[in-house]
Amino acid sequence: MNEQTDVKKLTFKDFETDQEVRWCPGCGDYAILKSVQMTLANIGATPENTVFVSGIGCSSRFPYYVETYGFHTIHGRAPAVATGVKLANPDLDVWLVTGDGDGLSIGGNHMLHVLRRNVDMQIMLFNNEIYGLTKGQYSPTSKPGSKTPSTPMGSVDLPLSPCSFALGAGARFVARGIDTALKALPITLERAKDHKGASFVEIFQNCIVFNDGTFDQFTQKKTAANSQIHAVHGERMIFGKEKDKGLVFNLEKFALEIVTIGENGVKEDDILVHDETNKMMAHMLVELTAPDFPVVCGVIYCNPEESYNDAVHNQMNAAKSAKKADFNALIRQGRTWIVD
Amino acid sequence: MNEQTDVKKLTFKDFETDQEVRWCPGCGDYAILKSVQMTLANIGATPENTVFVSGIGCSSRFPYYVETYGFHTIHGRAPAVATGVKLANPDLDVWLVTGDGDGLSIGGNHMLHVLRRNVDMQIMLFNNEIYGLTKGQYSPTSKPGSKTPSTPMGSVDLPLSPCSFALGAGARFVARGIDTALKALPITLERAKDHKGASFVEIFQNCIVFNDGTFDQFTQKKTAANSQIHAVHGERMIFGKEKDKGLVFNLEKFALEIVTIGENGVKEDDILVHDETNKMMAHMLVELTAPDFPVVCGVIYCNPEESYNDAVHNQMNAAKSAKKADFNALIRQGRTWIVD
Amino acid sequence: MNEQTPAGNFDEMDSVCIRFAGDSGDGMQLTGTQFSVVTALEGSDLSTFPDFPAEIRAPVGTTFGVSAFQINFGSVEVSTAGDEPDVLVAMNPAALKVSLAGLKEGGIIILDEGAFNKRNLDKAGYDSNPLEDNTLDGYQVQKLDITKMTLESVKEFGLGKKDALRSKNMWTLGLVLWMFGRDRKPITDWLEQKFKKIPDVAKANIAAVNAGHAYGETVEVSGELRRYSIGKHEVEEAGEYRTVNGNQALAWGLVAGSQLGDISLMLGSYPITPASTLLHTLSGLKEFGVMTFQAEDEIAAICGAIGASFAGNLGVTSSSGPGIALKTEAIGLAISTELPLIVVDVQRAGPSTGLPTKTEQSDLFQAVWGRNGDSSIVVLATSNPQDCFDVGIEAVRIATKYMTPVMVLSDGYIGNASEPWKLPDINKLEKFPVKHHTDTEDFHPFKRDPETLARPWVKPGTPGLLHRIGGIEKDYDSGHISYDPKNHQLMTDTRAEKIANIANDMPEQSVSLGTEGGKLAVVGWGSTRGAIHQAVKRARAENIDVSHIHIGNIWPLPRNLERLLKSYDKVIVAEMNKGQMNKLLRAEYLLDAYSLTKVTGQPFKITEILDCIREQAGDAS
Amino acid sequence: MNEQTPAGNFDEMDSVCIRFAGDSGDGMQLTGTQFSVVTALEGSDLSTFPDFPAEIRAPVGTTFGVSAFQINFGSVEVSTAGDEPDVLVAMNPAALKVSLAGLKEGGIIILDEGAFNKRNLDKAGYDSNPLEDNTLDGYQVQKLDITKMTLESVKEFGLGKKDALRSKNMWTLGLVLWMFGRDRKPITDWLEQKFKKIPDVAKANIAAVNAGHAYGETVEVSGELRRYSIGKHEVEEAGEYRTVNGNQALAWGLVAGSQLGDISLMLGSYPITPASTLLHTLSGLKEFGVMTFQAEDEIAAICGAIGASFAGNLGVTSSSGPGIALKTEAIGLAISTELPLIVVDVQRAGPSTGLPTKTEQSDLFQAVWGRNGDSSIVVLATSNPQDCFDVGIEAVRIATKYMTPVMVLSDGYIGNASEPWKLPDINKLEKFPVKHHTDTEDFHPFKRDPETLARPWVKPGTPGLLHRIGGIEKDYDSGHISYDPKNHQLMTDTRAEKIANIANDMPEQSVSLGTEGGKLAVVGWGSTRGAIHQAVKRARAENIDVSHIHIGNIWPLPRNLERLLKSYDKVIVAEMNKGQMNKLLRAEYLLDAYSLTKVTGQPFKITEILDCIREQAGDAS
Ligand SMILES: Cc1ncc(C[n+]2csc(CCOP(=O)(O)OP(=O)(O)O)c2C)c(N)n1
Ligand SMILES: Cc1ncc(C[n+]2csc(CCOP(=O)(O)OP(=O)(O)O)c2C)c(N)n1
Ligand code: SF4
Ligand code: SF4
Ligand SMILES: [Mg+2]
Ligand SMILES: [Mg+2]
């Protein structure tokens, strides 16, 4: 790894490449790219120590547009490739870019295991609830009834909730963001980067061509305040234009519910305080869906454990200090004989 | 499907095949086989309308030993094959047998999606926390630090909780059983069978050769009462030899905790009532682990939704009643011209 | 023919090739498709070649965002989309830049002058404006401000500028229809239908078509722009025709097969270019009992199909090279359990992700040899859209009769290209009803039919035939697991023999054009068929003794093929890969052929093959 | 030699083959391995063949639960585990039943009479007791109540009956050691070490060994059971030796390669029979910088390895046929991105799950041709345990020098079989230090070394060399994504040429035995080497003009191979599949060879090849 004299701080422009960006005009991917480039600048990333790994899909073209090392792999396999990269060279800062098809359909198993193993990397899942690159077939996150070229009568599968899946897989960091949220997203990504272990960030991304407006219910500026909560550790789960709505746990129903501060004797103090280390709370928060509930963004769960790569390298180091690497001795262990 | 004159009720013996059972003496698989055969007899299964599908592993030899139709497929792919079987012929009663390696390692993605889609079948995951057939390597459910042929210094991955994974995948029926529990297991399996949709049953199975005693902490007769809860819908979560322990939700900690009835003013009425339709409760229950908590067995979650196969066939039927299947007309749709 | 048939001053031509090229957003695929339809309706033979980028919508104006549609049509038999366009329609500088090299010397260029502004020229990487330097010397160039004229023509409908500009392609289509004296009515009908719910858009588009046409009629271009008349193609057979592309025809062929075989079809698939439209087409045919399962990945897709076959339906799975690679292990399961299965590979340029929207024939090795263990399957190749239909039926017949996987090799070119197709009457096609085994007497799941060597196909649900199968080696008689050495030899031999024997149930290899025996033969397979056909035809017209042999059944190879190939002094094997069929023929027949290959992601040109024939004929003589 | 060397009445023999057969629980693999060690230590040449069922522990007493271990040893060069055992040790009726057919006529059978009870006879499927009917006529049978004698011998240690019976194999081993006048000390040392923590078990086992040995010494069998003396094998080279099996040697070869290449090794693997022990061995070598990653499946395993190679380590992945099939798509990615990668395929009998514990060479097609797209890689085959070591090193050298995937084909027989191996001194092996590219001047990720055509290998973390790669086609110069037709042709040609050129960096094909040119040659590859060698040796002793050519480099083939093969009147290609190498040689050289094949899951017998040589030599003359 190489020392870098910090003569000049890099700006997000320094993370742009010479490649022309090839997404459809108006695609949410542009904004995410910008957020990521800003994040890299904010955290003072060293380009040569940063690697972007992706699968296949519109979103997976991402690495070509970030001035770092990059690997555009094959469909669904990015988590496995990224695991290899991180294990081989743990000093690299690894970012993974994937889509709802790439990461949860064909790549579901690798996503499951990279989360379970807790390999240190930032995983950005661009969820547009559609297969963009192959022209609009429904994906495992598409809403039931989606009419697409492969489901002319509407899809009948129950969709997957990416964050719910991630928690079930044992992820130790789960967060959410919105493509166009150019202020909030870099903050969330910075938290993801700070977390040592696999950080899972679902990003709602609008595919303007094949699934335009699928998240409008909670991403539109005019309704956002009433339909989103930005979770902050230690703060109360309050939302609404008037900051008068909040979440409480109803023991009777054994579920979260929305209350209005000032109504029925509800006080601000009654509102649930977000504890990002509490997995049960995380489970409840990720399952809240529009329009009945606000959609929870920001860092929903963060509860670090030793990363897989650290554990592997600790073992390697332990072995190295316990035994000498003497190849001639190795093959002479056990019973040998001399012919003369 | 064929009518069957119910002249004589079949017994579990009628579900034995002429094949010699080839597991190691003392393997937990024997007891599970017995439980399944008993269940088939109890529910009055018709052998020819029943299909067992499995992957590869010790456990996946199962179909050879059940006198029904059977398909011993390839490693990890049984959920996908079983989906094809059920879609093609929804009248068949499909049972899937898999292991912790087969179903959660190589087959994790198919398991994820069969649960998400909610294809009607009973999935029995024989969890012995080890790869039996390939001679004892650690699996995704093995305890951290497991010393196996491929982890001579102990495994460093964080293990997966099968039921937690299943809930994250969107499973609508999640249950647990123990290999040797010849009374409890058939009841759970019967519930699984009654549930229309994908029923996920994790069965703790002892591999006497490569992982003997891994579940002893809670499966041993003498400690079972204090270390297991058998969940029953509508009943209080009480356990212990003296039936004096119970689970309550501590709002402060936002977590379940164990209390003793009669101590600190705790009354029986304070104990949580199991609601198998409540997903949040299910999340909490499946994450309780020994020795700090009792392990929850029985039906933990059951909240039916339309099955994928029903939805698919409903669409097929709708299409059939809406349009006539006239092939000549089909290819003549759109613009054609006559050459004469 | 209707009243609008050209009466004016037309140059008669046998065939013409036009290339429509523009930005991905310019609607060139639509323009091309609509022109094809009209052309087909008026009785020309035709062949099309859609050529588009991998990006959904690459940035406007860039060369890699250019989308093109080529159509070759004529009063004579056309069989390829044409080597070199006679006419190029270029909607922007990038389109011109990308397509110019392929244009025929002296060809016609129609371009939208309004799009040749600084910004677009920069994006296309032009240092100077090609309209102003000598780039276009030697071509007949028509610079028209299509942008402006389109805006003008739709003004009255009050659309926004962006929407109004969407009609540029229709204006252009109108002009081209005029050039070739084609009827506008099918287009205007179609526009009315398509935009039924937004009549203003329908009207605007129709106005644009008419304006483009009117523009041709006016004096402004007369004298400069010539008009061409292409007569009707005297097809041999009378009947009803339509245009069809390969994936559509293959989907229909599979459905026809399921109807003739009286067996329900279940497709397990995962989207991938250029195979996805097969899934799309089949997903709309539920009333035919066709079930489609969009799986989580290619492995689940094939495993779902295998499960369906086990349950008594016919499992089908479709993908392209990288996806087929993923199915390799599962194909082995179908081989071992001897279940019927159809695997469609619509090939694209490889290796790895390669060039997803470009065509290639480089999965032949994978199809024939690419599996662990000794594991033969049947491999059939389609050669053009109408052949896709026939091959679809044949695949169903063989898979079900012989209880075997059948791989169907198509490619991106066939899959997307359209051609006229004489519509068959399904009632006149031969039926081959599949019978599931129900006889309980002396039943063993691996007891074979002595003639076909197929094992019985039992539908679970049938009483008295309970059995268990799997991928472990099975006893020849009982089907139980067997580790016996002799049995493994016997089963391995039998599996191979079963497939080899199918050659006896397939037609002998015929000569497509030319004679059995002679100086030279060109052997091809798959989508090179049209180009080879034309090349051989022209060579024969030059009195070269050359014949065309088109192999459709790749494995097993036709039983007379060796004899036939050895009846020529010399053989050329032409294919779009590094010589895979050539290697197969060498391995099978020790045939020392000349290997003509092309791996550019583009179909062969007729002249490329013709040049090779001339050269080799020289050598051969 | 030590004091216990036999002095008594020994029959001298050149070589002897013994087969130990018993129930899976009888410890036959252990007995065989220990006997091999003693035999090796005393200087015999030897070759072993463990032959066990797929079940972990099949039900006691059944024929499919029989586990056997065969060892062939001699004072002469042995190269196979022997065609027909001279001595069969059968611990129960099932073992006798399974092994009898293979025994040499008149051979010796030592069996445990105590195990021939009704229950075991029934389980083995014997209708009548073979000890009492004429089944064993013509053999020298020693019926000993090993069960009873073992119990007797360990009585004093107070073990339970079940534990006590575990020593039966040691009693038997003691007897066999006596028969061949072998030293007991290595065994007793080993037992002491192994059961250090349970000294009673150690003592009981040692007592059993001694009791078996003593039994031989006593009058009870003298006169009936003869003793054999096998001299030292006069190996050519002096040095230190050990026994090693193929998977162990291959693991060590890879590590040696990583040391010589000064590059860290990262194995991504998923357990599968018979490849798992490679993962096991490498997972214990962390002090050598070897990292092992047991992935969730074979695809993740290879992708992890590819990621490691991208990051600058050498990625290795290992599996067997079905698992290799799953890696097909990802191998394409390594081809397209031109990253070094080693893929080890320890072949087993297929197709599909097949016979997991049985050997076969049927993945050759898959290795050479089994991928989508035109996609050559290097394929090397190992032929015996010691060769595994050398091939391991060579694979590392080629993968890193040429930036290419290298497939190493081994098989279940080589993987499990043990042979003596002269230990190399790593300090004397040639180093080939890998240099990652660091020069920022004129850097392009796909700028090739003009000689090797390899692209530069850059370790992320290096300043000034930032770049992005992927599986889409790349521009020849810049490495950027390119859809250009000509570029795709150039890249496809270059990829193929790079691999073809490697033949120039590999040794020419030599003749293993015999002469260059002549009447007949037997060509083989992989684990058939020993059997072919012996067969050719014997045939030459019969004055047949036959030579042995063993191909180790499968792709690219050795540059002189065609010339060499064509210097014989006739060629036999012998292999354990349906003729895959034969097809490869036909395809490459139009070579019309005789294809000798065997697909039983069992290695060739020398006589099977010898018979073929005699027959073909007759034909050839
Ligand atoms: C093995 C394989 N299967 C299928 C494909 C085709 N394919 C490419 S991207 C894609 C899905 C893309 O969806 P998603 O991951 O959601 O990304 P998006 O385009 O929506 O950003 C598919 C099916 C492929 N390239 N490789
Ligand atoms: C494609 C493939 N990869 C690997 C294997 C080897 N394999 C067979 S079973 C198995 C794991 C078995 O573990 P599990 O599913 O837990 O079943 P158990 O034997 O413990 O019942 C493995 C790795 C295989 N047969 N096929
Ligand atoms: S298809 Fe959708 S996701 Fe893909 S680039 Fe276009 S807008 Fe973005
Ligand atoms: S290895 Fe373990 S799981 Fe497999 S049969 Fe034996 S005891 Fe059962
Ligand atoms: Mg998507
Ligand atoms: Mg297991």
Side-chain angles (χ1 to χ4, degrees), chain D residues 127 343 484:
Chain D
D127 293 331
V343 182
D484 179 60

Side-chain angles (χ1 to χ4, degrees), chain D residues 295-615:
Chain D
E296 57 271 26
D297 62 17
E298 285 84 354
I299 301 178
I302 186 172
C303 287
I306 290 173
S309 286
F310 175 72
N313 286 10
L314 175 59
V316 180
T317 190
S318 57
S319 190
S320 186
I324 298 292
L326 287 168
K327 297 178 196 286
T328 306
E329 190 208 5
I331 293 174
L333 178 64
I335 292 171
S336 175
T337 52
E338 303 191 36
L339 282 168
L341 176 73
I342 296 175
V343 182
V344 177
D345 180 358
V346 185
Q347 300 164 95
R348 66 190 214 184
S352 196
T353 308
L355 298 167
T357 58
K358 305 297 171 193
T359 198
E360 207 161 279
Q361 301 184 300
S362 52
D363 294 354
L364 181 78
F365 281 162
Q366 173 168 269
V368 179
W369 284 322
R371 279 169 296 279
N372 60 302
D374 288 301
S375 44
S376 305
I377 59 171
V378 175
V379 182
L380 308 177
T382 66
S383 59
N384 58 41
Q386 79 171 62
D387 189 35
C388 284
F389 182 77
D390 302 335
V391 169
I393 295 174
E394 178 73 349
V396 175
R397 184 183 75 86
I398 292 179
T400 54
K401 179 167 175 186
Y402 293 94
M403 298 290 283
T404 177
V406 174
M407 174 98 71
V408 174
L409 289 177
S410 180
D411 69 33
Y413 178 51
I414 304 171
N416 285 315
S418 290
E419 278 181 23
W421 175 43
K422 177 168 180 290
L423 294 166
D425 177 353
I426 188 144
N427 301 314
K428 297 200 178 129
L429 299 177
E430 198 175 334
K431 293 197 166 57
F432 45 85
V434 172
K435 284 180 217 65
H436 290 110
H437 189 89
T438 51
D439 186 1
T440 56
E441 192 164 330
D442 199 20
F443 166 74
H444 291 306
F446 274 78
K447 202 176 151 203
R448 295 169 190 280
D449 178 298
E451 201 198 316
T452 61
L453 296 179
R455 73 176 191 90
W457 192 6
V458 176
K459 215 178 164 126
T462 312
L465 300 179
L466 301 181
H467 66 277
R468 276 74 47 191
I469 58 172
I472 301 186
E473 187 59 285
K474 284 150 291 279
D475 181 70
Y476 187 84
D477 289 312
S478 68
H480 292 324
I481 289 182
S482 165
Y483 297 127
D484 179 60
K486 283 208 205 81
N487 178 72
H488 179 50
Q489 180 82 54
L490 179 61
M491 285 296 271
T492 305
D493 292 344
T494 306
R495 280 187 290 262
E497 196 189 329
K498 179 175 90 169
I499 303 299
N501 275 347
I502 298 175
N504 296 318
D505 190 17
M506 287 171 154
E508 293 210 331
Q509 179 66 50
S510 62
V511 178
S512 301
L513 190 66
T515 57
E516 193 175 319
K519 286 217 173 111
L520 185 61
V522 185
V523 171
W525 66 280
S527 68
T528 55
R529 182 176 189 165
I532 297 176
H533 176 79
Q534 291 297 333
V536 168
K537 197 164 152 187
R538 291 189 201 171
R540 292 180 65 83
E542 293 174 12
N543 279 322
I544 299 178
D545 176 5
V546 57
S547 301
H548 176 198
I549 293 170
H550 176 80
I551 303 178
N553 297 334
I554 306 283
W555 199 262
L557 286 163
R559 56 194 186 280
N560 65 324
L561 184 61
E562 177 168 13
R563 190 173 32 77
L564 180 62
L565 293 179
K566 292 188 172 167
S567 71
Y568 301 95
D569 298 347
K570 193 161 198 172
V571 172
I572 297 170
V573 181
E575 51 191 329
M576 299 188 299
N577 58 45
K578 294 278 290 173
Q580 300 187 8
M581 172 57 89
N582 182 48
K583 283 276 164 78
L584 182 66
L585 295 176
R586 287 169 70 93
E588 290 306 305
Y589 305 137
L590 298 171
L591 180 82
D592 191 8
Y594 179 86
S595 175
L596 172 65
T597 67
K598 178 174 183 178
V599 195
T600 63
Q602 302 286 326
F604 267 114
K605 291 186 174 168
I606 297 166
T607 51
E608 289 166 342
I609 296 164
L610 185 57
D611 286 349
C612 178
I613 291 173
R614 288 190 188 122
E615 197 184 292

Side-chain angles (χ1 to χ4, degrees), chain C residues 113-174:
Chain C
E113 205 176 359
F116 280 68
N117 51 33
K118 170 96 175 69
R119 191 152 161 266
N120 283 342
L121 290 166
D122 284 354
K123 284 206 172 169
Y126 271 122
D127 294 332
S128 74
N129 190 339
L131 307 194
E132 291 159 11
D133 60 23
N134 54 4
T135 307
L136 303 182
D137 289 1
Y139 298 99
Q140 307 172 48
V141 186
Q142 280 298 328
K143 306 178 208 173
L144 313 172
D145 196 338
I146 298 175
T147 301
K148 196 173 129 203
M149 289 189 280
T150 304
L151 288 177
E152 201 61 32
S153 68
V154 305
K155 210 165 51 184
E156 62 178 293
F157 305 102
L159 305 175
K161 185 170 175 191
K162 207 172 139 197
D163 281 337
L165 282 177
R166 289 238 171 89
S167 302
K168 272 198 305 184
N169 61 336
M170 287 298 125
W171 193 98
T172 314
L173 181 58

